[in-house]
Amino acid sequence: MIGDAKPLAGRHALVTGGGRGIGAAIAAQLAALGADVTITGRDPARLGVTAEGLTHLGRVNGIAIDVTDPAAIESGFARAAERSGPITILVNNAGIAKAAPFARTDLALWDDILRTDLTGAFLCAKAAVPGMVTAGWGRVVNVASTAGLTGLAYCSAYCAAKHGLIGLTRALAMELAGKPVTVNAVCPGYTETDIVETTLDNIVAKTGRTREDALAELVAHNPQKRLVKPEEVAEAVGWLCLPGSASITGQSIAVAGGELM
Ligand code: NDP
Protein backbone atom coordinates (compact mmCIF):
# COMPACT_ATOMS: atom_id res chain seq x y z
CA MET A 1 0.00 0.00 0.00
CA ILE A 2 2.88 2.36 -0.77
CA GLY A 3 1.55 5.89 -1.16
CA ASP A 4 -1.94 5.13 0.22
CA ALA A 5 -2.35 7.51 3.17
CA LYS A 6 -5.75 6.10 4.21
CA PRO A 7 -5.49 2.35 3.53
CA LEU A 8 -8.37 1.56 5.91
CA ALA A 9 -10.86 4.03 4.38
CA GLY A 10 -14.30 2.42 4.19
CA ARG A 11 -13.54 -0.02 7.01
CA HIS A 12 -15.40 0.04 10.30
CA ALA A 13 -13.16 -0.79 13.27
CA LEU A 14 -14.47 -1.54 16.77
CA VAL A 15 -11.96 -1.30 19.63
CA THR A 16 -13.07 -2.67 22.99
CA GLY A 17 -11.69 -0.73 25.96
CA GLY A 18 -10.99 2.12 23.53
CA GLY A 19 -11.61 4.91 26.02
CA ARG A 20 -8.13 4.99 27.51
CA GLY A 21 -4.69 3.41 27.59
CA ILE A 22 -3.64 1.09 24.78
CA GLY A 23 -7.19 0.98 23.36
CA ALA A 24 -7.35 4.77 22.91
CA ALA A 25 -3.95 4.70 21.13
CA ILE A 26 -5.23 1.92 18.84
CA ALA A 27 -8.39 3.92 18.08
CA ALA A 28 -6.22 6.91 17.14
CA GLN A 29 -4.00 4.77 14.91
CA LEU A 30 -6.92 3.14 13.07
CA ALA A 31 -8.67 6.50 12.61
CA ALA A 32 -5.44 7.97 11.22
CA LEU A 33 -5.31 5.06 8.76
CA GLY A 34 -8.79 6.02 7.56
CA ALA A 35 -11.09 3.62 9.42
CA ASP A 36 -14.44 4.68 10.87
CA VAL A 37 -13.83 3.76 14.53
CA THR A 38 -16.21 2.72 17.32
CA ILE A 39 -14.71 2.67 20.80
CA THR A 40 -16.40 0.77 23.61
CA GLY A 41 -16.00 0.48 27.37
CA ARG A 42 -18.05 0.73 30.55
CA ASP A 43 -17.66 4.47 31.11
CA PRO A 44 -19.76 6.50 28.62
CA ALA A 45 -18.36 9.86 29.79
CA ARG A 46 -14.80 8.77 29.16
CA LEU A 47 -15.74 7.33 25.75
CA GLY A 48 -17.29 10.68 24.82
CA VAL A 49 -14.18 12.64 25.83
CA THR A 50 -11.83 10.26 24.00
CA ALA A 51 -13.97 10.18 20.83
CA GLU A 52 -14.17 13.98 20.85
CA GLY A 53 -10.39 14.20 21.25
CA LEU A 54 -9.83 12.02 18.17
CA THR A 55 -12.19 13.77 15.75
CA HIS A 56 -9.25 15.59 14.12
CA LEU A 57 -8.09 12.15 12.88
CA GLY A 58 -11.42 10.89 11.51
CA ARG A 59 -14.82 9.55 12.57
CA VAL A 60 -14.73 8.09 16.10
CA ASN A 61 -17.88 7.22 18.09
CA GLY A 62 -18.31 5.73 21.55
CA ILE A 63 -20.82 3.08 22.67
CA ALA A 64 -20.95 1.80 26.25
CA ILE A 65 -20.53 -1.99 26.24
CA ASP A 66 -19.40 -4.15 29.15
CA VAL A 67 -17.63 -7.15 27.59
CA THR A 68 -18.81 -9.40 30.44
CA ASP A 69 -22.43 -8.80 29.36
CA PRO A 70 -23.41 -10.91 26.31
CA ALA A 71 -26.68 -9.00 25.71
CA ALA A 72 -24.85 -5.64 25.81
CA ILE A 73 -22.34 -6.94 23.24
CA GLU A 74 -25.10 -8.16 20.93
CA SER A 75 -27.12 -4.93 21.05
CA GLY A 76 -24.07 -2.62 21.12
CA PHE A 77 -22.40 -4.28 18.12
CA ALA A 78 -25.71 -4.15 16.20
CA ARG A 79 -26.03 -0.40 16.95
CA ALA A 80 -22.43 0.20 15.86
CA ALA A 81 -23.02 -1.68 12.60
CA GLU A 82 -26.25 0.26 11.95
CA ARG A 83 -24.35 3.53 12.34
CA SER A 84 -21.09 2.75 10.54
CA GLY A 85 -21.62 -0.44 8.52
CA PRO A 86 -20.41 -3.99 9.16
CA ILE A 87 -17.60 -4.28 11.70
CA THR A 88 -14.71 -5.52 9.57
CA ILE A 89 -11.96 -4.80 12.11
CA LEU A 90 -12.35 -6.00 15.70
CA VAL A 91 -9.69 -5.22 18.29
CA ASN A 92 -10.29 -7.17 21.50
CA ASN A 93 -8.37 -4.90 23.83
CA ALA A 94 -10.57 -4.61 26.96
CA GLY A 95 -8.85 -6.26 29.87
CA ILE A 96 -8.12 -6.21 33.56
CA ALA A 97 -5.02 -7.35 35.41
CA LYS A 98 -4.99 -8.34 39.07
CA ALA A 99 -1.98 -9.94 40.72
CA ALA A 100 -2.16 -12.34 43.65
CA PRO A 101 -0.13 -15.30 44.89
CA PHE A 102 -1.74 -18.57 43.82
CA ALA A 103 -2.76 -19.33 47.42
CA ARG A 104 -4.77 -16.10 47.47
CA THR A 105 -6.21 -16.49 43.96
CA ASP A 106 -9.81 -17.36 44.76
CA LEU A 107 -12.56 -18.36 42.37
CA ALA A 108 -13.98 -14.83 42.32
CA LEU A 109 -10.68 -13.32 41.11
CA TRP A 110 -10.20 -16.16 38.61
CA ASP A 111 -13.72 -15.74 37.21
CA ASP A 112 -13.40 -11.96 37.05
CA ILE A 113 -10.25 -12.06 34.93
CA LEU A 114 -11.28 -14.99 32.72
CA ARG A 115 -14.71 -13.44 32.09
CA THR A 116 -13.23 -10.08 31.01
CA ASP A 117 -9.94 -11.00 29.31
CA LEU A 118 -10.92 -14.25 27.60
CA THR A 119 -14.69 -14.81 27.48
CA GLY A 120 -15.20 -11.14 26.57
CA ALA A 121 -12.99 -11.55 23.48
CA PHE A 122 -14.78 -14.79 22.57
CA LEU A 123 -18.20 -13.10 22.76
CA CYS A 124 -17.05 -10.05 20.76
CA ALA A 125 -15.57 -12.30 18.07
CA LYS A 126 -18.85 -14.25 17.95
CA ALA A 127 -20.68 -10.95 17.39
CA ALA A 128 -18.36 -9.58 14.69
CA VAL A 129 -16.82 -12.45 12.69
CA PRO A 130 -19.99 -13.53 10.80
CA GLY A 131 -20.29 -9.97 9.42
CA MET A 132 -16.64 -10.08 8.29
CA VAL A 133 -17.23 -13.35 6.46
CA THR A 134 -20.32 -11.90 4.76
CA ALA A 135 -18.44 -8.69 3.89
CA GLY A 136 -15.61 -10.77 2.42
CA TRP A 137 -12.85 -9.07 4.46
CA GLY A 138 -11.92 -8.91 8.09
CA ARG A 139 -9.28 -8.43 10.74
CA VAL A 140 -9.42 -9.60 14.35
CA VAL A 141 -6.58 -8.44 16.60
CA ASN A 142 -6.52 -9.64 20.18
CA VAL A 143 -4.48 -7.63 22.68
CA ALA A 144 -2.94 -10.42 24.74
CA SER A 145 0.30 -9.93 26.69
CA THR A 146 3.77 -11.38 27.09
CA ALA A 147 1.96 -13.12 29.99
CA GLY A 148 0.17 -15.07 27.25
CA LEU A 149 3.48 -16.45 25.98
CA THR A 150 5.32 -17.24 29.21
CA GLY A 151 4.65 -17.77 32.89
CA LEU A 152 4.62 -14.86 35.33
CA ALA A 153 4.65 -15.30 39.11
CA TYR A 154 1.63 -14.02 41.09
CA CYS A 155 -0.46 -13.78 37.91
CA SER A 156 -1.94 -17.25 37.43
CA ALA A 157 -5.43 -16.06 36.43
CA TYR A 158 -4.10 -13.32 34.12
CA CYS A 159 -1.55 -15.71 32.54
CA ALA A 160 -4.22 -18.37 32.05
CA ALA A 161 -6.59 -15.84 30.44
CA LYS A 162 -3.93 -14.45 28.10
CA HIS A 163 -2.62 -17.93 27.16
CA GLY A 164 -6.27 -18.80 26.45
CA LEU A 165 -6.63 -15.70 24.27
CA ILE A 166 -3.62 -16.78 22.22
CA GLY A 167 -5.14 -20.26 21.89
CA LEU A 168 -8.38 -18.69 20.67
CA THR A 169 -6.38 -16.56 18.22
CA ARG A 170 -4.65 -19.60 16.73
CA ALA A 171 -7.77 -21.78 16.53
CA LEU A 172 -9.90 -19.06 14.94
CA ALA A 173 -7.12 -18.14 12.50
CA MET A 174 -6.96 -21.76 11.39
CA GLU A 175 -10.73 -22.03 11.06
CA LEU A 176 -10.97 -18.81 9.01
CA ALA A 177 -7.86 -19.40 6.89
CA GLY A 178 -10.01 -20.17 3.84
CA LYS A 179 -11.72 -16.78 4.13
CA PRO A 180 -10.20 -13.29 3.73
CA VAL A 181 -10.29 -12.81 7.52
CA THR A 182 -7.10 -12.83 9.60
CA VAL A 183 -6.84 -13.33 13.35
CA ASN A 184 -3.72 -12.28 15.26
CA ALA A 185 -2.59 -11.28 18.72
CA VAL A 186 -0.25 -8.55 19.90
CA CYS A 187 1.54 -9.19 23.17
CA PRO A 188 2.67 -6.04 24.93
CA GLY A 189 5.22 -6.04 27.71
CA TYR A 190 4.74 -3.59 30.59
CA THR A 191 3.21 -0.52 28.95
CA GLU A 192 2.66 3.03 30.25
CA THR A 193 -1.05 2.87 31.22
CA ASP A 194 -3.33 2.75 34.26
CA ILE A 195 -2.65 -1.01 34.58
CA VAL A 196 1.04 -0.35 35.25
CA GLU A 197 0.20 2.57 37.59
CA THR A 198 -2.00 0.22 39.64
CA THR A 199 0.67 -2.48 39.58
CA LEU A 200 3.24 0.01 40.91
CA ASP A 201 0.82 1.12 43.66
CA ASN A 202 0.34 -2.55 44.67
CA ILE A 203 4.07 -3.30 44.76
CA VAL A 204 4.71 -0.21 46.91
CA ALA A 205 1.80 -1.04 49.25
CA LYS A 206 2.66 -4.73 49.61
CA THR A 207 6.46 -4.61 49.76
CA GLY A 208 7.22 -1.17 51.20
CA ARG A 209 9.63 -0.53 48.33
CA THR A 210 9.90 2.93 46.80
CA ARG A 211 8.04 3.69 43.58
CA GLU A 212 11.40 4.03 41.77
CA ASP A 213 12.44 0.55 42.91
CA ALA A 214 9.08 -0.88 41.90
CA LEU A 215 9.35 0.70 38.46
CA ALA A 216 12.92 -0.58 38.09
CA GLU A 217 11.64 -4.10 38.83
CA LEU A 218 9.02 -3.89 36.05
CA VAL A 219 11.42 -2.28 33.58
CA ALA A 220 14.00 -5.01 34.25
CA HIS A 221 11.79 -7.42 32.27
CA ASN A 222 12.44 -5.35 29.12
CA PRO A 223 15.97 -5.54 27.60
CA GLN A 224 15.45 -1.97 26.34
CA LYS A 225 15.09 -1.00 30.03
CA ARG A 226 11.91 1.02 29.61
CA LEU A 227 8.16 0.73 29.54
CA VAL A 228 6.51 0.20 26.16
CA LYS A 229 4.45 3.15 24.88
CA PRO A 230 0.76 2.60 24.02
CA GLU A 231 1.43 4.10 20.57
CA GLU A 232 4.00 1.37 19.87
CA VAL A 233 1.37 -1.31 20.51
CA ALA A 234 -1.07 0.64 18.33
CA GLU A 235 1.43 0.73 15.43
CA ALA A 236 1.61 -3.07 15.48
CA VAL A 237 -2.18 -3.38 15.55
CA GLY A 238 -2.53 -0.91 12.68
CA TRP A 239 -0.02 -2.82 10.61
CA LEU A 240 -1.86 -6.13 11.15
CA CYS A 241 -5.05 -4.45 9.90
CA LEU A 242 -3.54 -3.23 6.63
CA PRO A 243 -4.69 -4.86 3.39
CA GLY A 244 -1.08 -5.91 2.76
CA SER A 245 -0.97 -7.97 5.96
CA ALA A 246 -3.37 -10.54 4.50
CA SER A 247 -0.92 -13.45 4.78
CA ILE A 248 -0.20 -12.84 8.46
CA THR A 249 -2.61 -14.88 10.57
CA GLY A 250 -2.49 -16.89 13.77
CA GLN A 251 0.53 -14.91 14.99
CA SER A 252 1.28 -13.58 18.45
CA ILE A 253 3.59 -10.61 18.08
CA ALA A 254 5.44 -9.42 21.16
CA VAL A 255 5.74 -5.64 21.47
CA ALA A 256 8.05 -5.78 24.43
CA GLY A 257 11.55 -4.51 23.65
CA GLY A 258 12.90 -8.03 23.21
CA GLU A 259 11.51 -9.43 26.50
CA LEU A 260 10.73 -12.66 24.64
CA MET A 261 12.55 -13.99 21.57
P1 NDP B 1 -6.19 0.26 31.06
O1 NDP B 1 -6.56 -0.13 32.44
O2 NDP B 1 -5.65 1.62 30.81
O3 NDP B 1 -7.44 0.06 30.09
C1 NDP B 1 -8.26 -1.06 30.16
C2 NDP B 1 -9.42 -0.85 29.23
O4 NDP B 1 -10.27 -2.01 29.29
C3 NDP B 1 -10.24 0.36 29.60
O5 NDP B 1 -10.60 1.07 28.44
C4 NDP B 1 -11.47 -0.24 30.25
O6 NDP B 1 -12.58 0.58 30.04
C5 NDP B 1 -11.60 -1.56 29.51
N1 NDP B 1 -12.34 -2.57 30.26
C6 NDP B 1 -11.96 -3.21 31.39
N2 NDP B 1 -12.94 -4.05 31.78
C7 NDP B 1 -13.94 -3.94 30.88
C8 NDP B 1 -15.21 -4.53 30.73
N3 NDP B 1 -15.69 -5.43 31.61
N4 NDP B 1 -15.97 -4.19 29.67
C9 NDP B 1 -15.53 -3.28 28.78
N5 NDP B 1 -14.34 -2.67 28.86
C10 NDP B 1 -13.56 -3.00 29.90
O7 NDP B 1 -5.20 -0.84 30.59
P2 NDP B 1 -4.31 -1.04 29.27
O8 NDP B 1 -4.62 -0.04 28.26
O9 NDP B 1 -2.92 -1.21 29.74
O10 NDP B 1 -4.82 -2.49 28.82
C11 NDP B 1 -5.36 -2.77 27.55
C12 NDP B 1 -5.09 -4.23 27.23
O11 NDP B 1 -3.67 -4.41 27.14
C13 NDP B 1 -5.58 -5.21 28.29
O12 NDP B 1 -6.14 -6.34 27.65
C14 NDP B 1 -4.31 -5.60 29.02
O13 NDP B 1 -4.39 -6.88 29.59
C15 NDP B 1 -3.30 -5.54 27.89
N6 NDP B 1 -1.93 -5.41 28.34
C16 NDP B 1 -1.51 -4.31 29.05
C17 NDP B 1 -0.19 -4.23 29.48
C18 NDP B 1 0.32 -3.07 30.28
O14 NDP B 1 1.43 -3.17 30.84
N7 NDP B 1 -0.37 -1.94 30.35
C19 NDP B 1 0.78 -5.28 29.17
C20 NDP B 1 0.22 -6.39 28.42
C21 NDP B 1 -1.07 -6.43 28.02
P3 NDP B 1 -13.68 0.95 31.17
O15 NDP B 1 -12.97 0.97 32.49
O16 NDP B 1 -14.25 2.24 30.74
O17 NDP B 1 -14.68 -0.15 31.08
Side-chain angles (χ1 to χ4, degrees):
M1 280 285 131
I2 294 166
D4 187 350
K6 299 282 181 196
L8 299 182
R11 304 294 183 197
H12 177 196
L14 187 145
V15 183
T16 69
R20 59 190 161 99
I22 292 171
I26 293 170
Q29 181 72 14
L30 296 178
L33 290 169
D36 192 330
V37 180
T38 300
I39 53 174
T40 71
R42 293 164 299 181
D43 180 349
R46 183 185 287 276
L47 292 171
V49 169
T50 301
E52 179 68 29
L54 296 178
T55 46
H56 64 288
L57 295 172
R59 278 189 64 188
V60 182
N61 289 294
I63 297 184
I65 300 174
D66 183 329
V67 297
T68 66
D69 180 345
I73 293 172
E74 204 175 312
S75 64
F77 276 47
R79 271 174 57 210
E82 266 166 38
R83 180 159 63 192
S84 303
I87 297 160
T88 45
I89 297 172
L90 169 66
V91 182
N92 280 314
N93 163 79
I96 53 172
K98 289 184 195 167
F102 186 66
R104 287 211 290 273
T105 299
D106 59 13
L107 186 57
L109 188 152
W110 176 270
D111 281 344
D112 200 18
I113 293 183
L114 270 284
R115 200 179 297 123
T116 308
D117 293 11
L118 181 55
T119 309
F122 161 73
L123 291 170
C124 291
K126 293 276 284 180
V129 166
M132 296 181 192
V133 172
T134 304
W137 192 91
R139 298 280 185 266
V140 179
V141 183
N142 295 320
V143 180
S145 167
T146 49
L149 295 167
T150 188
L152 198 59
Y154 311 119
C155 289
S156 50
Y158 186 70
C159 271
K162 295 298 189 180
H163 274 72
L165 186 55
I166 288 175
L168 173 65
T169 302
R170 291 173 177 158
L172 193 54
M174 196 59 97
E175 194 164 327
L176 293 172
K179 317 253 188 265
V181 178
T182 66
V183 187
N184 290 288
V186 293
C187 300
Y190 286 110
T191 305
E192 284 175 19
T193 70
D194 292 348
I195 279 187
V196 159
E197 286 303 315
T198 307
T199 304
L200 290 173
D201 290 345
N202 285 341
I203 295 173
V204 169
K206 284 179 185 155
T207 67
R209 275 180 240 164
T210 64
R211 200 182 151 76
E212 289 66 35
D213 285 350
L215 181 60
E217 187 184 319
L218 297 191
V219 163
H221 290 262
N222 181 330
Q224 293 180 340
K225 299 286 175 261
R226 65 179 179 88
L227 295 175
V228 175
K229 293 188 180 308
E231 295 73 22
E232 294 176 307
V233 182
E235 288 272 354
V237 174
W239 169 67
L240 287 167
C241 293
L242 293 176
S245 300
S247 69
I248 301 161
T249 196
Q251 303 306 301
S252 305
I253 298 169
V255 184
E259 179 186 335
L260 297 173
M261 294 188 185

